[in-house]
Short mmCIF file of all heavy atoms in Angstrom, two decimals:
data_model
loop_
_atom_site.label_atom_id
_atom_site.label_comp_id
_atom_site.label_asym_id
_atom_site.label_seq_id
_atom_site.Cartn_x
_atom_site.Cartn_y
_atom_site.Cartn_z
N TYR A 125 90.52 185.25 65.19
CA TYR A 125 91.52 184.18 65.10
C TYR A 125 92.68 184.60 64.21
O TYR A 125 93.85 184.40 64.56
CB TYR A 125 90.86 182.89 64.58
CG TYR A 125 91.81 181.73 64.48
CD1 TYR A 125 92.26 181.07 65.62
CD2 TYR A 125 92.27 181.28 63.24
CE1 TYR A 125 93.13 180.00 65.53
CE2 TYR A 125 93.14 180.22 63.14
CZ TYR A 125 93.56 179.58 64.29
OH TYR A 125 94.44 178.53 64.20
N GLN A 126 92.38 185.19 63.06
CA GLN A 126 93.43 185.64 62.15
C GLN A 126 94.26 186.77 62.79
O GLN A 126 95.48 186.82 62.63
CB GLN A 126 92.83 186.11 60.82
CG GLN A 126 92.22 185.00 59.99
CD GLN A 126 93.21 183.89 59.68
OE1 GLN A 126 94.39 184.13 59.47
NE2 GLN A 126 92.72 182.66 59.68
N GLU A 127 93.60 187.66 63.50
CA GLU A 127 94.31 188.75 64.19
C GLU A 127 95.25 188.18 65.26
O GLU A 127 96.40 188.61 65.39
CB GLU A 127 93.30 189.72 64.83
CG GLU A 127 93.92 190.84 65.63
CD GLU A 127 94.72 191.81 64.78
OE1 GLU A 127 94.55 191.85 63.55
OE2 GLU A 127 95.55 192.53 65.37
N LEU A 128 94.78 187.19 66.01
CA LEU A 128 95.62 186.56 67.03
C LEU A 128 96.81 185.86 66.39
O LEU A 128 97.93 185.94 66.88
CB LEU A 128 94.79 185.58 67.87
CG LEU A 128 95.54 184.87 68.98
CD1 LEU A 128 96.07 185.87 70.00
CD2 LEU A 128 94.65 183.84 69.64
N ARG A 129 96.58 185.19 65.28
CA ARG A 129 97.70 184.52 64.56
C ARG A 129 98.72 185.55 64.10
O ARG A 129 99.93 185.30 64.16
CB ARG A 129 97.17 183.73 63.37
CG ARG A 129 96.51 182.43 63.79
CD ARG A 129 96.25 181.54 62.65
NE ARG A 129 97.53 181.20 62.02
CZ ARG A 129 97.65 180.47 60.95
NH1 ARG A 129 96.58 180.00 60.36
NH2 ARG A 129 98.82 180.19 60.44
N ARG A 130 98.24 186.69 63.64
CA ARG A 130 99.16 187.73 63.19
C ARG A 130 100.00 188.24 64.36
O ARG A 130 101.21 188.40 64.27
CB ARG A 130 98.39 188.90 62.56
CG ARG A 130 99.29 189.98 61.94
CD ARG A 130 98.53 191.24 61.55
NE ARG A 130 97.88 191.90 62.67
CZ ARG A 130 98.52 192.63 63.60
NH1 ARG A 130 99.83 192.75 63.56
NH2 ARG A 130 97.86 193.22 64.57
N ILE A 131 99.34 188.48 65.50
CA ILE A 131 100.05 188.99 66.68
C ILE A 131 101.06 187.95 67.17
O ILE A 131 102.21 188.29 67.48
CB ILE A 131 99.04 189.36 67.79
CG1 ILE A 131 98.22 190.57 67.38
CG2 ILE A 131 99.76 189.62 69.11
CD1 ILE A 131 97.04 190.85 68.29
N LEU A 132 100.65 186.70 67.24
CA LEU A 132 101.56 185.66 67.72
C LEU A 132 102.70 185.43 66.75
O LEU A 132 103.80 185.03 67.15
CB LEU A 132 100.79 184.35 67.97
CG LEU A 132 99.81 184.38 69.13
CD1 LEU A 132 99.03 183.08 69.19
CD2 LEU A 132 100.51 184.65 70.44
N GLY A 133 102.48 185.68 65.46
CA GLY A 133 103.52 185.52 64.45
C GLY A 133 104.64 186.53 64.58
O GLY A 133 105.74 186.34 64.06
N GLU A 134 104.38 187.62 65.29
CA GLU A 134 105.40 188.65 65.48
C GLU A 134 106.42 188.27 66.55
O GLU A 134 107.48 188.86 66.63
CB GLU A 134 104.73 189.99 65.86
CG GLU A 134 103.89 190.56 64.75
CD GLU A 134 103.10 191.78 65.17
OE1 GLU A 134 103.23 192.21 66.36
OE2 GLU A 134 102.35 192.31 64.35
N TYR A 135 106.10 187.26 67.38
CA TYR A 135 107.03 186.83 68.41
C TYR A 135 108.09 185.91 67.81
O TYR A 135 107.83 185.15 66.90
CB TYR A 135 106.29 186.10 69.54
CG TYR A 135 105.47 187.03 70.40
CD1 TYR A 135 104.11 187.18 70.16
CD2 TYR A 135 106.05 187.74 71.43
CE1 TYR A 135 103.35 188.04 70.93
CE2 TYR A 135 105.30 188.60 72.20
CZ TYR A 135 103.95 188.74 71.95
OH TYR A 135 103.21 189.59 72.72
N GLU A 136 109.28 185.99 68.35
CA GLU A 136 110.38 185.17 67.88
C GLU A 136 110.59 184.03 68.87
O GLU A 136 110.65 184.26 70.08
CB GLU A 136 111.65 186.01 67.77
CG GLU A 136 112.83 185.25 67.24
CD GLU A 136 114.04 186.16 67.11
OE1 GLU A 136 113.89 187.39 67.04
OE2 GLU A 136 115.15 185.62 67.09
N LEU A 137 110.68 182.82 68.37
CA LEU A 137 110.90 181.66 69.22
C LEU A 137 112.38 181.33 69.22
O LEU A 137 112.98 181.14 68.16
CB LEU A 137 110.10 180.47 68.70
CG LEU A 137 110.29 179.16 69.45
CD1 LEU A 137 109.80 179.30 70.89
CD2 LEU A 137 109.56 178.03 68.76
N ILE A 138 112.95 181.28 70.39
CA ILE A 138 114.36 180.94 70.53
C ILE A 138 114.44 179.55 71.15
O ILE A 138 113.87 179.31 72.21
CB ILE A 138 115.09 181.97 71.42
CG1 ILE A 138 115.00 183.35 70.78
CG2 ILE A 138 116.53 181.55 71.63
CD1 ILE A 138 115.54 184.45 71.66
N VAL A 139 115.14 178.66 70.48
CA VAL A 139 115.28 177.30 70.95
C VAL A 139 116.72 177.08 71.38
O VAL A 139 117.65 177.37 70.62
CB VAL A 139 114.89 176.28 69.86
CG1 VAL A 139 115.08 174.86 70.35
CG2 VAL A 139 113.46 176.51 69.41
N ASP A 140 116.89 176.58 72.57
CA ASP A 140 118.22 176.27 73.07
C ASP A 140 118.73 175.03 72.36
O ASP A 140 118.03 174.03 72.26
CB ASP A 140 118.14 176.04 74.58
CG ASP A 140 119.49 175.84 75.23
OD1 ASP A 140 120.51 175.92 74.52
OD2 ASP A 140 119.53 175.61 76.45
N SER A 141 119.95 175.07 71.88
CA SER A 141 120.49 173.94 71.13
C SER A 141 120.64 172.71 72.01
O SER A 141 120.67 171.59 71.51
CB SER A 141 121.82 174.29 70.48
OG SER A 141 122.77 174.61 71.50
N ALA A 142 120.72 172.89 73.31
CA ALA A 142 120.80 171.73 74.20
C ALA A 142 119.49 170.95 74.19
O ALA A 142 119.46 169.77 74.54
CB ALA A 142 121.14 172.19 75.61
N GLU A 143 118.39 171.59 73.81
CA GLU A 143 117.09 170.94 73.77
C GLU A 143 116.87 170.13 72.50
O GLU A 143 115.96 169.35 72.40
CB GLU A 143 115.98 172.00 73.89
CG GLU A 143 116.07 172.85 75.11
CD GLU A 143 115.22 172.34 76.24
OE1 GLU A 143 114.29 171.60 75.97
OE2 GLU A 143 115.52 172.67 77.39
N GLN A 144 117.70 170.35 71.48
CA GLN A 144 117.51 169.65 70.21
C GLN A 144 118.07 168.23 70.30
O GLN A 144 118.99 167.95 71.05
CB GLN A 144 118.19 170.42 69.08
CG GLN A 144 117.58 171.79 68.86
CD GLN A 144 118.34 172.58 67.80
OE1 GLN A 144 119.28 172.10 67.22
NE2 GLN A 144 117.88 173.78 67.56
N ALA A 145 117.51 167.36 69.48
CA ALA A 145 117.96 165.99 69.44
C ALA A 145 119.37 165.92 68.89
O ALA A 145 119.75 166.67 68.00
CB ALA A 145 117.02 165.16 68.57
N ILE A 146 120.16 165.03 69.45
CA ILE A 146 121.54 164.85 69.00
C ILE A 146 121.63 163.48 68.33
O ILE A 146 121.24 162.47 68.91
CB ILE A 146 122.52 164.93 70.19
CG1 ILE A 146 122.44 166.29 70.85
CG2 ILE A 146 123.94 164.62 69.73
CD1 ILE A 146 123.21 166.40 72.12
N PHE A 147 122.12 163.46 67.11
CA PHE A 147 122.28 162.22 66.38
C PHE A 147 123.74 161.80 66.44
O PHE A 147 124.64 162.56 66.10
CB PHE A 147 121.85 162.38 64.92
CG PHE A 147 120.40 162.72 64.79
CD1 PHE A 147 119.98 164.03 64.57
CD2 PHE A 147 119.43 161.75 64.92
CE1 PHE A 147 118.65 164.34 64.48
CE2 PHE A 147 118.09 162.05 64.83
CZ PHE A 147 117.69 163.35 64.60
N LEU A 148 123.98 160.60 66.90
CA LEU A 148 125.34 160.10 67.02
C LEU A 148 125.61 159.14 65.85
O LEU A 148 124.74 158.35 65.47
CB LEU A 148 125.53 159.36 68.34
CG LEU A 148 125.34 160.19 69.59
CD1 LEU A 148 125.45 159.30 70.83
CD2 LEU A 148 126.37 161.29 69.67
N THR A 149 126.80 159.19 65.31
CA THR A 149 127.20 158.26 64.27
C THR A 149 128.31 157.38 64.78
O THR A 149 129.19 157.83 65.52
CB THR A 149 127.66 159.01 63.00
OG1 THR A 149 128.74 159.86 63.38
CG2 THR A 149 126.53 159.82 62.40
N CYS A 150 128.25 156.16 64.45
CA CYS A 150 129.27 155.20 64.86
C CYS A 150 130.19 154.91 63.69
O CYS A 150 129.72 154.68 62.58
CB CYS A 150 128.62 153.90 65.31
SG CYS A 150 128.28 153.85 67.04
N ARG A 151 131.45 154.89 63.96
CA ARG A 151 132.42 154.49 62.95
C ARG A 151 132.94 153.10 63.30
O ARG A 151 133.38 152.88 64.42
CB ARG A 151 133.58 155.47 62.89
CG ARG A 151 133.16 156.82 62.39
CD ARG A 151 134.36 157.69 62.27
NE ARG A 151 133.92 159.06 62.03
CZ ARG A 151 134.73 160.02 61.69
NH1 ARG A 151 136.01 159.78 61.54
NH2 ARG A 151 134.28 161.23 61.51
N LEU A 152 132.89 152.25 62.35
CA LEU A 152 133.42 150.91 62.59
C LEU A 152 134.69 150.67 61.88
O LEU A 152 135.07 151.15 60.92
CB LEU A 152 132.39 149.84 62.15
CG LEU A 152 131.10 149.87 62.95
CD1 LEU A 152 130.13 148.87 62.38
CD2 LEU A 152 131.37 149.56 64.41
#
Side-chain angles (χ1 to χ4, degrees):
Y125 181 74
Q126 292 303 324
E127 177 66 18
L128 180 62
R129 284 192 61 183
R130 185 191 62 74
I131 292 169
L132 292 175
E134 294 173 1
Y135 288 97
E136 182 178 339
L137 177 64
I138 299 173
V139 178
D140 185 2
S141 62
E143 303 265 338
Q144 296 176 1
I146 299 172
F147 297 100
L148 298 175
T149 57
C150 269
R151 293 184 191 190
L152 296 176

